[in-house]
Amino acid sequence: LTTRADAVAACLRLPGAYEDYPFDDPNWTAMRHRGNQKIFALVFEREGHIWINVKAQPMWADFWRRTFSAVVPAYHMNKEKWVSAILNGTIPQEELFSLLRQSFALTKGK
């Protein structure tokens, strides 16, 4: 996964996920739950790479940041509960899918 299209397609693999552009800036793609419209991922370009902001439990956020240098405190989000994954080719695809699934589960609601 290195492109916006790849990132959006990965998010759309989750059941009931959809793509939205709620901001005046077309650089920001919000990936939402169809049921509650909550955002589970934000896809954007920054510093020459595609980034994905995802929600994570604080202990998992710390784990991901310690494990992969391309996982950093989330850009423009709560740094304790969100992380940014920089799609620079250093995070294995299955680990990225795991991050997406965790965020999806945390934002799904009841």
Side-chain angles (χ1 to χ4, degrees), residues 54-67 71-73 79-83 99 102:
V54 292
K55 191 167 189 177
Q57 292 175 324
M59 70 175 196
W60 278 105
D62 185 55
F63 167 79
W64 291 113
R65 288 189 300 261
R66 284 186 286 111
T67 304
V71 176
V72 298
K79 309 285 189 247
E80 183 181 337
K81 296 182 181 178
W82 289 78
V83 295
L99 276 165
Q102 284 181 21

Side-chain angles (χ1 to χ4, degrees), residues 4 8 19-30 32 43:
R4 179 185 302 271
V8 168
E19 174 181 7
D20 188 19
Y21 294 85
F23 310 116
D24 287 335
D25 183 351
N27 183 43
W28 290 83
T29 305
R32 297 180 183 266
V43 180

Side-chain angles (χ1 to χ4, degrees), residues 23-96:
F23 310 116
D24 287 335
D25 183 351
N27 183 43
W28 290 83
T29 305
M31 302 305 301
R32 297 180 183 266
H33 290 271
R34 192 157 306 283
N36 64 12
Q37 288 80 46
K38 286 190 178 181
I39 293 172
F40 69 90
L42 286 164
V43 180
F44 57 99
E45 185 172 348
R46 177 173 161 74
E47 299 174 349
H49 294 287
I50 296 298
W51 292 39
I52 305 176
N53 283 354
V54 292
K55 191 167 189 177
Q57 292 175 324
M59 70 175 196
W60 278 105
D62 185 55
F63 167 79
W64 291 113
R65 288 189 300 261
R66 284 186 286 111
T67 304
F68 298 104
S69 62
V71 176
V72 298
Y75 181 69
H76 273 314
M77 303 289 280
N78 177 311
K79 309 285 189 247
E80 183 181 337
K81 296 182 181 178
W82 289 78
V83 295
S84 289
I86 304 167
L87 304 187
N88 62 7
T90 63
I91 305 171
Q93 188 167 316
E94 191 49 47
E95 300 297 336
L96 284 168

